[in-house]
C-alpha cells in the first residue's frame, strides 16, 4: 500500500472510532489499540454469574470498584441470573461490541470452548475470575480465584477431627451443579473425610442460595429428622437458609446439628459468632483489584501468570467473635 492510501485508511479508522465512540480494540495478538495507552479508558465487559449470595454481592462490588473510570476502565456489567446460556450470550455480545477485554466468572466448568475461541479469533483477551473452566488454558489469558478444593478439604478436616470415632450422620448442601466451586469443594471434603466413620445421609444442591438451602434442608429434616448430627453447606447462604428449617423443626442449630460452611461473609460470621454455625472456611470475594491489574497488563501486551490463587483462612466461633467488627464484607 502506498503512503497516501495508508494515510486514508488511518483517517477512516480514526473517524470510525470517533463516530462509534469505541474505546479502542485489540490487535490479533491481544494487544491494546487506543484503549491500551494514553488517557483512554480500557473497555471491559464483565460477565458475572448472577446475584445468588452475599459472597457474589461482595465480589460484584469489588469488581465495580476496581474497574472504575478513575482507575482507567469503562466497565460494561452483566449478571446472568445463574443461567449458563445467558452468560455465554453476554460474552458473545461483548465480542460483537469489540471491547478491549472480557472478564468472566464462569457459572459452570463446561461449555466454554466455542465462545472462548470466538473471543480469541476476534483478538479480545479473556480473564477468568473466581471459578475455573474445563476448556484449554490456551483459550484465555489468565485466571484469578480461590483454591476451592482446599476449602472443601479444610471443612472436611474439621468434621473429621470433631466427629470421627462417634459414628456421626452428615448431610450436604451442594452449590450450583457443574460449577467448579461445588465440584472442587465436594472433592476436597470427600478426601478429608475418607476412611472415617462419618455417614453421608444425603447430598443435594441448594444452588448457592438461601431459599435453596432452606428448601433442601426441610426435605432432609423430614426424611432424617433428629438423626442428622452435622451439616456441610458449600456456602454461608445455604447454611443460613438451613438455620430457618432447623429452628422450624424444633432443633437448635450449632448444638443439635453442627454446621460448617464456606465463605465467611458478614451474615455467616454473625451466625458463627452467635453459636448457630460451628466453623467457616473463608472464600475471599475481593478479587477486583487483582483482576483489574491482570486486564491492564494483558491489554498492554505484558506476560502474566496463567493462575493466581488468593489465600483463604478459616474461623472458629471464638475467632469469628473477635474479627466480626473488622470484616470488610
Ligand atoms: O464461586 C464462589 C461461590 O459462588 C461462593 O462460595 C458462593 O457463595 C457463590 O455463589
Amino acid at each position: 500500500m502506498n503512503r497516501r492510501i495508508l494515510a486514508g485508511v488511518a483517517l477512516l479508522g480514526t473517524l470510525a472510532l470517533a463516530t462509534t465512540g469505541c474505546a479502542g480494540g485489540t490487535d490479533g495478538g491481544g494487544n491494546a489499540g487506543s484503549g491500551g495507552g494514553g488517557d483512554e479508558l480500557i473497555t471491559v465487559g464483565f460477565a458475572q454469574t448472577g446475584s445468588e449470595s452475599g459472597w457474589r454481592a461482595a465480589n460484584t462490588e469489588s469488581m465495580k470498584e476496581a474497574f472504575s473510570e478513575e482507575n482507567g476502565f469503562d466497565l460494561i456489567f452483566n449478571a446472568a441470573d445463574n443461567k449458563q446460556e445467558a452468560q455465554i450470550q453476554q460474552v458473545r455480545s461483548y465480542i460483537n461490541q469489540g471491547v478491549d477485554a472480557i472478564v468472566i466468572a464462569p457459572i459452570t466448568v463446561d461449555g466454554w470452548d466455542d465462545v472462548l475461541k470466538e473471543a480469541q479469533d476476534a483478538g479480545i483477551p479473556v480473564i477468568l475470575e473466581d471459578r475455573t473452566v474445563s476448556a484449554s488454558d490456551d483459550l484465555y489469558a489468565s485466571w484469578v480465584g480461590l483454591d476451592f478444593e482446599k476449602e472443601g478439604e479444610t471443612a472436611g478436616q474439621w468434621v473429621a477431627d470433631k466427629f470421627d470415632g462417634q459414628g456421626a450422620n452428615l448431610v450436604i448442601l451442594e452449590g450450583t451443579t457443574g460449577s467448579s466451586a461445588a465440584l472442587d469443594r465436594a472433592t476436597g471434603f470427600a478426601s478429608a473425610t475418607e476412611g472415617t466413620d462419618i455417614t453421608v445421609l444425603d447430598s443435594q444442591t441448594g444452588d448457592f442460595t438461601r431459599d435453596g438451602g432452606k428448601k433442601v434442608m426441610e426435605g432432609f429434616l423430614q426424611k432424617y429428622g433428629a438423626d442428622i448430627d452435622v451439616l456441610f453447606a458449600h456456602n454461608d447462604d445455604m447454611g443460613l437458609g438451613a438455620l430457618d428449617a432447623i429452628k422450624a423443626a424444633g432443633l437448635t442449630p450449632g448444638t443439635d446439628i453442627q454446621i460448617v460452611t464456606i465463605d465467611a461473609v458478614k451474615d455467616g460470621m454473625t451466625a458463627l459468632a452467635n453459636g448457630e454455625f460451628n466453623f467457616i472456611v473463608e472464600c475471599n470475594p475481593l478479587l477486583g483489584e487483582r483482576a483489574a491489574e491482570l486486564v491492564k497488563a494483558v491489554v498492554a501486551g505484558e506476560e502474566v501468570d496463567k493462575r493466581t490463587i488468593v489465600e483463604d483462612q478459616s474461623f472458629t466461633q471464638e475467632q469469628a467473635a473477635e474479627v466480626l467488627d473488622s470484616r470488610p464484607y
Side-chain angles (χ1 to χ4, degrees):
M1 244 188 269
N2 69 32
R3 266 178 205 212
R4 188 175 294 171
I5 296 174
L6 270 177
V9 170
L11 179 65
L12 277 175
T14 310
L15 282 175
L17 283 177
T19 46
T20 58
C22 175
T26 57
D27 63 26
N31 294 321
S34 59
D39 293 334
E40 301 233 16
L41 300 178
I42 300 173
T43 303
V44 175
F46 174 37
Q48 178 60 289
T49 59
S51 49
E52 70 278 5
S53 63
W55 188 97
R56 191 59 56 192
N59 178 249
T60 293
E61 204 183 313
S62 160
M63 294 291 284
K64 285 185 174 171
E65 242 175 68
F67 286 89
S68 64
E69 275 198 29
E70 208 183 14
N71 291 341
F73 297 97
D74 176 11
L75 180 69
I76 313 171
F77 175 84
N78 181 270
D81 198 21
N82 249 355
K83 295 189 174 66
Q84 162 99 343
E85 299 91 76
Q87 198 179 30
I88 290 175
Q89 271 318 107
Q90 188 56 42
V91 173
R92 286 213 167 93
S93 152
Y94 291 148
I95 297 171
N96 292 335
Q97 290 173 60
V99 297
D100 296 318
I102 296 172
V103 181
I104 310 172
I107 296 168
T108 53
V109 248
D110 294 332
W112 290 98
D113 305 64
D114 290 350
V115 77
L116 288 177
K117 181 81 177 54
E118 288 162 36
Q120 191 170 65
D121 289 346
I124 301 174
V126 171
I127 279 82
L128 305 177
E129 73 111 23
D130 167 25
R131 301 180 189 169
T132 55
V133 294
S134 58
S136 160
D137 66 6
D138 292 343
L139 293 174
Y140 55 90
S142 190
W143 165 81
V144 56
L146 302 310
D147 187 340
F148 295 137
E149 191 170 329
K150 196 166 154 208
E151 291 170 356
E153 207 178 293
T154 309
Q157 197 53 57
W158 183 84
V159 172
D161 289 347
K162 189 109 205 196
F163 292 97
D164 189 23
Q166 298 175 38
N169 290 323
L170 168 82
V171 292
I172 300 173
L173 290 169
E174 302 163 18
T176 300
T177 306
S179 67
S180 65
L183 292 166
D184 296 350
R185 284 171 187 170
T187 304
F189 189 88
S191 81
T193 50
E194 201 186 341
T196 65
D197 60 1
I198 293 152
T199 306
V200 181
L201 292 177
D202 221 323
S203 180
Q204 284 178 38
T205 182
D207 216 9
F208 280 135
T209 65
R210 275 188 205 209
D211 268 8
K214 183 171 179 227
K215 280 192 194 113
V216 177
M217 192 67 200
E218 281 167 355
F220 287 164
L221 286 160
Q222 266 170 23
K223 214 163 160 191
Y224 309 104
D227 284 347
I228 302 169
D229 300 305
V230 55
L231 161 69
F232 169 42
H234 282 191
N235 80 343
D236 285 351
D237 279 81
M238 292 190 294
L240 291 162
L243 288 183
D244 294 343
I246 294 169
K247 288 177 199 165
L251 297 169
T252 308
T255 308
D256 294 327
I257 298 180
Q258 303 223 4
I259 302 174
V260 52
T261 70
I262 295 178
D263 274 357
V265 294
K266 203 58 135 207
D267 289 353
M269 291 291 275
T270 305
L272 185 61
N274 290 344
E276 295 188 313
F277 283 179
N278 302 79
F279 189 66
I280 297 184
V281 182
E282 185 187 45
C283 177
N284 190 339
L286 307 181
L287 305 176
E289 216 172 287
R290 287 173 182 94
E293 281 164 14
L294 283 168
V295 168
K296 276 207 171 149
V298 169
V299 166
E302 292 164 18
E303 286 285 316
V304 293
D305 290 337
K306 214 43 172 196
R307 287 165 58 81
T308 308
I309 293 183
V310 174
E311 285 300 313
D312 291 318
Q313 40 183 327
S314 56
F315 301 94
T316 60
Q317 292 173 333
E318 297 70 30
Q319 288 165 333
E322 269 168 39
V323 299
L324 191 58
D325 291 341
S326 60
R327 295 286 290 169
Y329 53 87

